[in-house]
Amino acid sequence: DETDGYGTPSLKLLASAFYSKTVFGSDTVRTGFTLHYTGWELDANNTFNGTNPAAAAGLDFPGYIHVLGNWTTVDWQISYKFGQPEQITPETPKPGYDKEGKKVVGEQAVAPPRQASPWGLRNLLANTTVTFGINNIFDTYPPLSVDNVQGNYDANVGNPVMRFFYVSVEKKF
């Protein structure tokens, strides 16, 4: 006789839309929104959907059922991924030869120095993703649940931390 859906939302939906774009030849910018929808649910002060008359909710006639409303939040995220730096191969002749391919002798035969240091900022940032995001952009409160002792919200569905900003850095080696 307890066929209610206490603690279980009628519907949960997660939808997201993201867009990414390659910039500067090897870097990637990605941004998007995520929609979280949680449908209504019965709270603990109900009459088991009318199947248990002894469990009167004590509400107005005829013993209406408490229902927690639905809850919708929207999250936003933007990230920037540094790609591998372009490997530039200088078009210099082999050491000991000139541009025409003739052998060179003396100080001119010494190999040319490297073009750039491998410890440049661009090389250190390669394969690094920096992400900024906001959870619950519109700062919506979870539905009120007066029977719950954990802060007047259903801890299985709601979150007491309303709007939340975060930054993440991920480096792949």
Side-chain angles (χ1 to χ4, degrees), residues 18 28-32 77-81 129-132 168:
F18 279 84
T28 305
V29 175
R30 185 172 188 252
T31 186
Q77 186 180 69
I78 186 167
S79 64
Y80 189 90
K81 180 179 180 184
T129 304
V130 179
T131 304
F132 172 77
S168 166

Side-chain angles (χ1 to χ4, degrees), residues 134-152:
I134 304 172
N135 287 349
N136 196 355
I137 291 175
F138 302 114
D139 204 22
T140 57
Y141 290 96
L144 177 66
S145 175
V146 294
D147 65 322
N148 202 316
V149 294
Q150 297 180 1
N152 293 335

Side-chain angles (χ1 to χ4, degrees), residues 7-8 21 40 59-60 64 86 112 131 136:
T8 306
K21 174 86 173 153
W40 62 270
L59 302 171
D60 296 333
Y64 295 116
E86 227 176 279
T131 304
N136 196 355

Side-chain angles (χ1 to χ4, degrees), residues 73-149:
T73 61
V74 177
D75 304 340
W76 174 68
Q77 186 180 69
I78 186 167
S79 64
Y80 189 90
K81 180 179 180 184
F82 294 94
Q84 286 284 5
E86 227 176 279
Q87 297 295 330
I88 300 174
T89 55
E91 295 192 17
T92 55
K94 279 177 36 179
Y97 294 90
D98 63 6
K99 291 181 183 180
E100 288 79 36
K102 296 180 182 174
K103 192 160 180 91
V104 181
V105 290
E107 282 190 29
Q108 296 176 341
V110 178
R114 287 195 329 200
Q115 298 291 333
S117 169
W119 293 103
L121 182 61
R122 183 67 188 166
N123 286 332
L124 292 175
L125 288 176
N127 293 323
T128 301
T129 304
V130 179
T131 304
F132 172 77
I134 304 172
N135 287 349
N136 196 355
I137 291 175
F138 302 114
D139 204 22
T140 57
Y141 290 96
L144 177 66
S145 175
V146 294
D147 65 322
N148 202 316
V149 294

Side-chain angles (χ1 to χ4, degrees), residues 16-28:
S16 61
F18 279 84
Y19 175 76
S20 64
K21 174 86 173 153
T22 302
V23 294
F24 305 120
S26 63
D27 297 348
T28 305

